[in-house]
Amino acid sequence: MILELDCGNSLIKWRLLGRDPVGGVVGSDDELLRALRAMAGLVLEGCRLVSVRSDAETSALVAALTAEFGCRVLCAQPAQVLAGVRNGYDEYARLGLDRWLAVVGAYQLARGACLVLDLGTAVTSDFVAADGEHLGGFICPGLPLMRNQLRTHTRRIRYDDAAAMQALQSLVPGRSTVEAVERGCALMLRGFVLTQVEIARERWGDEFSIYLTGGDAGLVCEVLPQARLVSDLVFVGLAQACPLSGD
């Protein structure tokens, strides 16, 4: 089996590719190793990962996986060109690796002009032309950042995550603070993504695809029925960056 890892600053998303794919999200290296050890008879043909962590943290995880499973571990690296996509940043290495791989993954699926929208802790948009030229994009705070800023800087805004989830069951005007905050932030996300679509339409007319990914992508699906939701878009790009013989 092949192990794929998307290592964020606080969470690790993982999946195993094989006859019966399986995966999950964990909060630490130790949790990941425990989850893998719990799978009886697991033999890894290889591992590939993308990490936005420090070099030291990434190296520690690679060493732990190598010691535990004796497999080859490949780490995605910045690139000017990958799988037909040309990095659009003036300093290509400064484009976040997870964002870059999502762009590459979307282009592999679209094989044409595409708009990539990733709704996570931060929200990013990226525009890729039909010839694979990455034209750049935009970054703004995601729902978690907007929510936390309001909680931090407004003393009377206090509610838990369960209340936040309940409030997002509807987007009618809020009749409580939690409803007003959560629904207001959700509408800001919708406004952002609709603006991105308009920018793409000005460039390409209707000749482009839209890809959604990230934990809060479901909040905008209703206003983007033409979009394709691909939760593992980073892994699609990761396979291009780090090919393994078991693919």
Side-chain angles (χ1 to χ4, degrees):
M1 301 185 84
I2 291 175
L3 174 64
E4 296 184 322
L5 302 173
D6 179 1
C7 305
N9 290 306
S10 56
L11 298 174
I12 301 173
K13 183 178 180 181
W14 65 276
R15 74 174 184 179
L16 285 166
L17 299 181
R19 183 173 301 175
D20 299 307
V22 64
V25 178
V26 293
S28 68
D29 295 0
D30 288 341
E31 284 185 44
L32 173 65
L33 292 173
R34 284 198 297 271
L36 296 173
R37 289 176 187 136
M39 304 182 68
L42 175 62
V43 176
L44 293 182
E45 301 168 49
C47 171
R48 55 186 168 225
L49 66 82
V50 54
S51 175
V52 298
R53 298 175 166 192
S54 69
D55 291 343
E57 291 173 309
T58 302
S59 296
L61 177 57
V62 169
L65 291 167
T66 302
E68 185 76 27
F69 298 102
C71 65
R72 184 184 182 195
V73 181
L74 300 180
C75 298
Q77 300 296 326
Q80 286 184 305
V81 180
L82 175 62
V85 183
R86 179 172 293 278
N87 193 314
Y89 263 31
D90 294 333
E91 298 179 62
Y92 74 91
R94 296 187 67 83
L95 177 61
L97 268 176
D98 50 351
R99 182 178 163 201
W100 167 237
L101 294 183
V103 166
V104 171
Y107 188 72
Q108 299 313 299
L109 298 176
R111 294 297 177 181
C114 55
L115 168 62
V116 187
L117 298 166
D118 188 343
L119 285 82
T121 302
V123 174
T124 62
S125 68
D126 285 281
F127 299 80
V128 188
D131 63 358
E133 186 74 21
H134 172 230
L135 304 176
F138 299 93
I139 304 174
C140 73
L143 188 59
L145 288 177
M146 288 191 282
R147 176 191 296 136
N148 289 339
Q149 283 297 301
L150 284 168
R151 286 177 174 176
T152 300
H153 296 288
T154 308
R155 292 183 180 181
R156 292 180 180 271
I157 295 181
R158 295 289 183 271
Y159 55 85
D160 58 25
D161 291 341
M165 291 298 294
Q166 181 63 35
L168 287 171
Q169 299 305 305
S170 169
L171 289 180
V172 301
R175 297 174 65 89
S176 66
T177 298
V178 60
E179 290 179 353
V181 168
E182 292 297 317
R183 295 172 188 178
C185 291
L187 289 174
M188 288 187 71
L189 291 186
R190 290 189 171 198
F192 176 83
V193 301
L194 288 174
T195 299
Q196 306 311 298
V197 173
E198 287 305 310
I199 293 172
R201 191 167 286 131
E202 288 172 4
R203 282 184 173 272
W204 301 314
D206 291 324
E207 299 300 316
F208 67 98
S209 303
I210 305 172
Y211 289 89
L212 287 173
T213 194
D216 287 325
L219 293 175
V220 302
C221 285
E222 184 180 333
V223 295
L224 293 177
Q226 72 274 42
R228 181 176 174 185
L229 178 60
V230 184
S231 61
D232 57 357
L233 197 54
V234 169
F235 286 147
V236 177
L238 180 60
Q240 298 295 319
C242 302
L244 290 164
S245 59
D247 286 330

XYZ file of all heavy atoms in Angstrom, residues 54-131:
567
model
N 7.806 23.043 9.748
C 9.225 23.373 9.680
C 10.003 22.167 9.142
O 9.539 21.026 9.194
C 9.757 23.746 11.067
O 9.782 22.601 11.909
N 11.215 22.440 8.644
C 12.058 21.358 8.136
C 12.342 20.334 9.226
O 12.363 19.122 8.962
C 13.373 21.925 7.596
C 13.179 22.729 6.324
O 12.111 22.589 5.684
O 14.090 23.511 5.969
N 12.560 20.803 10.443
C 12.875 19.896 11.548
C 11.697 18.976 11.861
O 11.864 17.768 12.068
C 13.267 20.688 12.789
N 10.491 19.536 11.894
C 9.304 18.729 12.172
C 9.050 17.714 11.063
O 8.714 16.550 11.332
C 8.086 19.638 12.336
C 8.100 20.488 13.589
C 6.955 21.485 13.599
O 6.777 22.209 12.593
O 6.234 21.544 14.614
N 9.233 18.144 9.831
C 9.028 17.234 8.703
C 10.055 16.118 8.716
O 9.723 14.943 8.507
C 9.100 18.013 7.373
O 8.115 19.053 7.382
C 8.852 17.091 6.195
N 11.314 16.451 8.984
C 12.374 15.445 9.035
C 12.123 14.426 10.135
O 12.391 13.226 9.966
C 13.740 16.116 9.244
O 14.073 16.932 8.140
N 11.598 14.892 11.271
C 11.305 13.984 12.379
C 10.223 12.976 11.990
O 10.315 11.785 12.321
C 10.873 14.772 13.604
N 9.206 13.438 11.279
C 8.147 12.529 10.843
C 8.674 11.533 9.816
O 8.356 10.335 9.882
C 6.983 13.330 10.257
C 5.821 12.503 9.675
C 5.239 11.550 10.718
C 4.738 13.419 9.129
N 9.482 12.001 8.879
C 10.067 11.105 7.875
C 10.908 10.029 8.556
O 10.831 8.836 8.219
C 10.913 11.903 6.866
C 11.736 10.957 5.983
C 10.026 12.787 6.005
N 11.709 10.429 9.535
C 12.551 9.466 10.254
C 11.707 8.440 10.999
O 12.027 7.241 11.008
C 13.470 10.210 11.224
N 10.611 8.890 11.619
C 9.744 7.970 12.363
C 9.082 6.961 11.424
O 8.990 5.762 11.747
C 8.688 8.765 13.126
N 8.623 7.416 10.271
C 7.976 6.508 9.308
C 8.977 5.511 8.735
O 8.665 4.320 8.568
C 7.338 7.318 8.175
C 6.117 8.150 8.559
C 5.777 9.137 7.441
C 4.919 7.243 8.846
N 10.188 5.982 8.445
C 11.221 5.094 7.910
C 11.600 4.025 8.923
O 11.741 2.842 8.582
C 12.460 5.912 7.507
O 12.086 6.908 6.546
C 13.521 5.009 6.905
N 11.751 4.438 10.189
C 12.105 3.480 11.233
C 10.986 2.475 11.485
O 11.239 1.293 11.727
C 12.433 4.236 12.525
N 9.746 2.921 11.423
C 8.606 2.059 11.732
C 8.292 1.083 10.609
O 7.999 -0.092 10.857
C 7.369 2.923 12.000
C 6.142 2.167 12.454
C 6.208 1.734 13.906
O 6.908 2.396 14.699
O 5.562 0.716 14.248
N 8.362 1.552 9.359
C 7.897 0.725 8.244
C 8.978 0.382 7.224
O 8.731 -0.411 6.313
C 6.741 1.431 7.528
C 5.546 1.654 8.406
C 5.296 2.912 8.945
C 4.681 0.615 8.723
C 4.199 3.123 9.763
C 3.589 0.818 9.545
C 3.344 2.075 10.073
N 10.163 0.986 7.358
C 11.246 0.673 6.444
C 10.950 0.998 4.999
O 11.477 0.349 4.083
N 10.117 2.007 4.786
C 9.712 2.346 3.421
C 10.374 3.641 2.954
O 10.877 4.435 3.750
C 8.192 2.482 3.331
S 7.524 3.846 4.307
N 10.355 3.840 1.667
C 10.862 5.066 1.074
C 9.837 6.175 1.299
O 8.638 5.973 1.090
C 11.083 4.859 -0.421
C 11.691 6.042 -1.143
C 11.758 5.746 -2.632
N 12.385 6.827 -3.376
C 12.320 6.953 -4.691
N 11.638 6.065 -5.406
N 12.919 7.972 -5.299
N 10.292 7.342 1.739
C 9.401 8.486 1.987
C 9.829 9.630 1.072
O 10.961 10.107 1.152
C 9.444 8.937 3.456
C 8.484 10.106 3.667
C 9.087 7.787 4.392
N 8.921 10.058 0.206
C 9.179 11.171 -0.696
C 8.453 12.410 -0.205
O 7.272 12.340 0.159
C 8.708 10.833 -2.110
C 9.345 9.617 -2.789
C 8.761 9.446 -4.186
C 10.859 9.769 -2.856
N 9.132 13.556 -0.225
C 8.538 14.820 0.207
C 8.417 15.758 -0.988
O 9.382 15.966 -1.728
C 9.406 15.483 1.274
S 9.606 14.529 2.792
N 7.226 16.309 -1.177
C 7.007 17.266 -2.269
C 7.880 18.498 -2.058
O 8.055 18.966 -0.925
C 5.540 17.650 -2.336
N 8.401 19.026 -3.152
C 9.259 20.208 -3.118
C 8.702 21.282 -4.056
O 7.977 20.976 -5.006
C 10.683 19.837 -3.558
C 11.354 18.791 -2.699
C 11.585 19.245 -1.272
O 11.842 20.424 -1.036
N 11.518 18.324 -0.329
N 9.024 22.549 -3.803
C 8.590 23.601 -4.727
C 9.129 23.346 -6.134
O 10.189 22.744 -6.306
C 9.197 24.874 -4.127
C 9.457 24.544 -2.694
C 9.801 23.087 -2.660
N 8.380 23.792 -7.127
C 8.807 23.583 -8.514
C 8.294 24.732 -9.379
O 7.224 25.281 -9.125
C 8.275 22.254 -9.049
N 9.055 25.070 -10.398
C 8.608 26.082 -11.348
C 7.583 25.507 -12.321
O 6.656 26.193 -12.738
C 9.797 26.655 -12.117
C 10.666 27.598 -11.296
C 11.771 28.215 -12.125
O 12.556 27.506 -12.750
N 11.843 29.535 -12.126
N 7.781 24.229 -12.661
C 6.879 23.544 -13.583
C 6.648 22.137 -13.066
O 7.589 21.454 -12.649
C 7.462 23.472 -15.011
C 6.490 22.747 -15.947
C 7.771 24.863 -15.544
N 5.383 21.700 -13.072
C 5.046 20.348 -12.649
C 3.802 19.884 -13.388
O 2.777 20.571 -13.363
C 4.809 20.294 -11.130
C 4.333 18.953 -10.563
C 5.369 17.862 -10.812
C 4.045 19.070 -9.062
N 3.904 18.741 -14.047
C 2.765 18.090 -14.701
C 2.001 19.050 -15.614
O 0.771 19.067 -15.627
C 1.838 17.494 -13.650
N 2.746 19.866 -16.343
C 2.127 20.762 -17.304
C 1.679 22.097 -16.748
O 1.143 22.936 -17.491
N 1.900 22.349 -15.448
C 1.502 23.610 -14.828
C 2.756 24.432 -14.529
O 3.716 23.929 -13.936
C 0.715 23.376 -13.519
C 0.255 24.710 -12.940
C -0.480 22.467 -13.764
N 2.734 25.699 -14.922
C 3.845 26.610 -14.636
C 3.466 27.510 -13.470
O 2.464 28.219 -13.515
C 4.186 27.466 -15.862
C 5.331 28.455 -15.629
C 5.763 29.127 -16.910
N 6.364 28.155 -17.813
C 7.636 27.745 -17.739
N 8.436 28.217 -16.790
N 8.102 26.877 -18.593
N 4.275 27.459 -12.423
C 4.048 28.245 -11.212
C 4.022 29.731 -11.545
O 4.935 30.249 -12.188
C 5.159 27.935 -10.201
C 4.876 28.444 -8.813
O 4.456 29.573 -8.629
N 5.129 27.599 -7.816
N 2.980 30.423 -11.108
C 2.800 31.822 -11.467
C 3.429 32.826 -10.523
O 3.410 34.033 -10.798
N 3.984 32.371 -9.397
C 4.595 33.312 -8.454
C 5.938 33.800 -8.976
O 6.712 33.032 -9.573
C 4.784 32.627 -7.100
C 3.681 32.897 -6.100
C 2.370 33.129 -6.508
C 3.941 32.901 -4.732
C 1.364 33.368 -5.590
C 2.933 33.138 -3.803
C 1.654 33.369 -4.246
O 0.652 33.600 -3.324
N 6.245 35.067 -8.735
C 7.555 35.607 -9.104
C 8.656 34.845 -8.383
O 9.716 34.582 -8.959
C 7.633 37.101 -8.767
C 6.672 37.930 -9.610
O 6.353 37.503 -10.738
O 6.238 38.998 -9.134
N 8.424 34.521 -7.107
C 9.338 33.661 -6.343
C 8.594 32.345 -6.122
O 7.856 32.197 -5.154
C 9.712 34.310 -5.019
C 10.462 35.630 -5.154
C 10.784 36.240 -3.805
O 11.525 35.598 -3.026
O 10.276 37.331 -3.524
N 8.778 31.404 -7.027
C 7.932 30.208 -7.062
C 7.959 29.414 -5.757
O 6.963 28.796 -5.383
C 8.329 29.319 -8.245
C 9.629 28.556 -8.066
C 9.636 27.290 -7.519
C 10.848 29.118 -8.455
C 10.823 26.582 -7.360
C 12.032 28.431 -8.295
C 12.010 27.150 -7.750
O 13.181 26.464 -7.585
N 9.076 29.446 -5.048
C 9.187 28.649 -3.826
C 8.329 29.204 -2.690
O 8.127 28.528 -1.677
C 10.645 28.564 -3.376
N 7.820 30.424 -2.843
C 7.017 31.028 -1.784
C 5.520 30.700 -1.914
O 4.741 31.060 -1.031
C 7.231 32.548 -1.761
C 8.664 32.937 -1.419
C 8.802 34.434 -1.234
N 8.084 34.896 -0.053
C 8.563 34.862 1.182
N 9.771 34.366 1.413
N 7.861 35.326 2.192
N 5.140 30.052 -2.992
C 3.760 29.579 -3.106
C 3.608 28.355 -2.214
O 4.366 27.393 -2.332
C 3.442 29.216 -4.560
C 2.052 28.639 -4.839
C 0.958 29.629 -4.459
C 1.928 28.246 -6.308
N 2.646 28.384 -1.288
C 2.459 27.280 -0.349
C 2.369 25.943 -1.061
O 1.653 25.805 -2.063
N 3.080 24.948 -0.557
C 3.141 23.654 -1.232
C 1.783 22.990 -1.352
O 1.470 22.389 -2.385
C 4.108 22.724 -0.483
C 5.558 22.716 -0.951
C 6.389 21.823 -0.056
C 5.656 22.271 -2.406
N 0.962 23.077 -0.305
C -0.352 22.448 -0.382
C -1.220 23.149 -1.429
O -1.945 22.498 -2.196
C -1.039 22.418 0.984
C -1.053 23.769 1.690
O -0.395 24.726 1.221
O -1.726 23.864 2.735
N -1.120 24.470 -1.483
C -1.866 25.234 -2.489
C -1.378 24.893 -3.895
O -2.177 24.700 -4.822
C -1.704 26.721 -2.186
C -2.464 27.654 -3.113
C -2.258 29.085 -2.663
N -2.621 30.034 -3.721
C -2.188 31.284 -3.769
N -1.382 31.744 -2.809
N -2.554 32.078 -4.767
N -0.074 24.807 -4.078
C 0.514 24.464 -5.369
C 0.044 23.096 -5.847
O -0.346 22.922 -7.012
C 2.032 24.522 -5.253
C 2.834 23.930 -6.373
C 3.765 22.936 -6.258
C 2.841 24.311 -7.760
N 4.337 22.665 -7.470
C 3.783 23.495 -8.415
C 2.124 25.241 -8.502
C 4.045 23.585 -9.785
C 2.369 25.335 -9.869
C 3.310 24.516 -10.502
N 0.038 22.120 -4.957
C -0.372 20.774 -5.354
C -1.859 20.708 -5.666
O -2.285 19.940 -6.541
C -0.016 19.766 -4.265
C 1.485 19.558 -4.034
C 1.720 18.496 -2.979
C 2.200 19.195 -5.334
N -2.675 21.519 -4.978
C -4.100 21.583 -5.317
C -4.292 22.141 -6.722
O -5.146 21.667 -7.489
C -4.855 22.430 -4.298
N -3.481 23.143 -7.080
C -3.534 23.715 -8.427
C -3.153 22.657 -9.464
O -3.830 22.483 -10.486
C -2.601 24.941 -8.519
C -2.372 25.351 -9.963
C -3.176 26.103 -7.723
N -2.069 21.950 -9.202
C -1.617 20.898 -10.119
C -2.671 19.803 -10.242
O -2.979 19.324 -11.333
C -0.270 20.315 -9.648
C 0.105 19.067 -10.460
C 0.833 21.362 -9.752
N -3.246 19.414 -9.092
C -4.276 18.381 -9.108
C -5.488 18.782 -9.915
O -6.032 17.987 -10.695
N -5.926 20.023 -9.757
C -7.094 20.502 -10.499
C -6.827 20.493 -11.993
O -7.690 20.098 -12.795
C -7.481 21.893 -10.028
N -5.638 20.907 -12.395
C -5.321 20.944 -13.821
C -5.271 19.539 -14.417
O -5.662 19.335 -15.573
C -4.000 21.670 -14.048
C -3.701 21.914 -15.513
C -4.419 22.852 -16.246
C -2.699 21.204 -16.167
C -4.157 23.079 -17.582
C -2.421 21.419 -17.512
C -3.156 22.357 -18.214
O -2.895 22.565 -19.548
N -4.810 18.570 -13.620
C -4.809 17.189 -14.111
C -6.221 16.699 -14.386
O -6.465 15.946 -15.331
C -4.130 16.262 -13.091
C -2.682 16.581 -12.794
C -1.866 16.820 -14.037
O -1.738 15.925 -14.876
N -1.313 18.015 -14.169
N -7.154 17.124 -13.548
C -8.545 16.697 -13.713
C -9.239 17.478 -14.821
O -10.039 16.926 -15.577
C -9.304 16.872 -12.399
C -8.788 16.058 -11.214
C -9.576 16.403 -9.950
C -8.882 14.554 -11.489
N -8.938 18.766 -14.922
C -9.647 19.627 -15.876
C -9.097 19.519 -17.285
O -9.851 19.572 -18.259
C -9.578 21.080 -15.415
N -7.778 19.417 -17.386
C -7.105 19.450 -18.686
C -7.525 20.677 -19.492
O -7.713 20.622 -20.705
C -7.386 18.168 -19.470
C -6.794 16.924 -18.848
C -5.283 17.017 -18.827
N -4.678 15.860 -18.158
C -3.359 15.708 -17.987
N -2.542 16.661 -18.419
N -2.871 14.664 -17.372
N -7.698 21.773 -18.770
C -8.095 23.021 -19.387
C -8.110 24.114 -18.346
O -7.676 23.917 -17.197
N -8.594 25.276 -18.712
C -8.652 26.401 -17.784
C -9.484 26.032 -16.558
O -10.531 25.385 -16.675
C -9.240 27.616 -18.477
N -9.026 26.445 -15.389
C -9.770 26.108 -14.174
C -9.553 27.141 -13.079
O -8.533 27.832 -13.028
C -9.405 24.710 -13.665
S -7.657 24.410 -13.364
N -10.538 27.217 -12.218
C -10.517 28.033 -11.014
C -10.511 27.082 -9.831
O -11.368 26.201 -9.735
C -11.750 28.932 -10.967
C -12.055 29.654 -9.650
C -10.934 30.611 -9.276
C -13.389 30.398 -9.744
N -9.532 27.241 -8.942
C -9.379 26.351 -7.786
C -9.688 27.137 -6.523
O -9.040 28.154 -6.241
C -7.945 25.781 -7.714
C -7.855 24.739 -6.611
C -7.523 25.199 -9.060
N -10.667 26.681 -5.764
C -11.087 27.355 -4.537
C -10.893 26.409 -3.362
O -11.507 25.334 -3.306
C -12.556 27.768 -4.638
C -12.887 28.755 -5.756
C -14.393 28.817 -5.983
C -12.337 30.139 -5.426
N -10.032 26.800 -2.429
C -9.728 25.977 -1.257
C -10.212 26.721 -0.016
O -9.691 27.782 0.334
C -8.221 25.732 -1.175
C -7.844 24.732 -0.088
O -8.670 24.466 0.819
O -6.718 24.209 -0.133
N -11.228 26.153 0.640
C -11.841 26.807 1.798
C -11.447 26.083 3.073
O -12.093 25.125 3.507
C -13.372 26.841 1.641
C -13.899 27.870 0.629
C -13.805 27.324 -0.787
C -15.336 28.228 0.932
N -10.361 26.535 3.662
C -9.883 25.972 4.910
C -9.725 27.065 5.950
O -10.527 28.000 6.005
N -8.689 26.968 6.774
C -8.411 28.005 7.762
C -8.257 29.356 7.064
O -8.789 30.375 7.515
C -7.135 27.675 8.543
O -7.303 26.398 9.174
C -6.867 28.720 9.605
N -7.521 29.343 5.972
C -7.519 30.471 5.036
C -8.264 30.029 3.790
O -8.394 28.834 3.525
C -6.096 30.875 4.693
N -8.759 30.979 3.028
C -9.433 30.690 1.769
C -8.535 31.181 0.644
O -8.065 32.326 0.671
C -10.803 31.385 1.693
C -11.437 31.205 0.318
C -11.732 30.825 2.763
N -8.282 30.309 -0.328
C -7.445 30.690 -1.458
C -8.175 30.441 -2.765
O -9.012 29.543 -2.868
C -6.117 29.909 -1.479
O -6.393 28.510 -1.629
C -5.333 30.137 -0.195
N -7.851 31.258 -3.746
C -8.322 31.029 -5.105
C -7.121 31.067 -6.027
O -6.156 31.803 -5.776
C -9.344 32.091 -5.527
O -8.728 33.358 -5.657
N -7.159 30.233 -7.066
C -6.086 30.204 -8.049
C -6.679 30.018 -9.430
O -7.645 29.263 -9.613
C -5.096 29.075 -7.739
C -4.206 29.409 -6.561
O -3.244 30.176 -6.750
O -4.483 28.925 -5.450
N -6.064 30.706 -10.397
C -6.534 30.682 -11.778
C -5.465 30.016 -12.645
O -4.297 30.415 -12.613
C -6.785 32.106 -12.270
C -7.829 32.845 -11.474
C -7.511 33.431 -10.246
C -9.127 32.959 -11.934
C -8.462 34.107 -9.501
C -10.095 33.632 -11.204
C -9.763 34.203 -9.984
N -5.877 29.004 -13.397
C -4.954 28.287 -14.273
C -5.506 28.330 -15.692
O -6.644 27.910 -15.932
C -4.769 26.826 -13.832
C -3.657 26.168 -14.658
C -4.440 26.726 -12.355
N -4.700 28.849 -16.620
C -5.132 28.967 -18.009
C -5.123 27.606 -18.698
O -4.564 26.624 -18.185
C -4.216 29.938 -18.754
N -5.720 27.554 -19.867
C -5.844 26.290 -20.596
C -4.495 25.673 -20.926
O -4.364 24.443 -21.023
C -6.653 26.512 -21.874
N -3.451 26.518 -21.077
C -2.122 25.993 -21.399
C -1.314 25.630 -20.162
O -0.127 25.294 -20.268
C -1.349 27.006 -22.252
C -1.086 28.326 -21.516
O -1.538 28.477 -20.365
O -0.435 29.212 -22.110
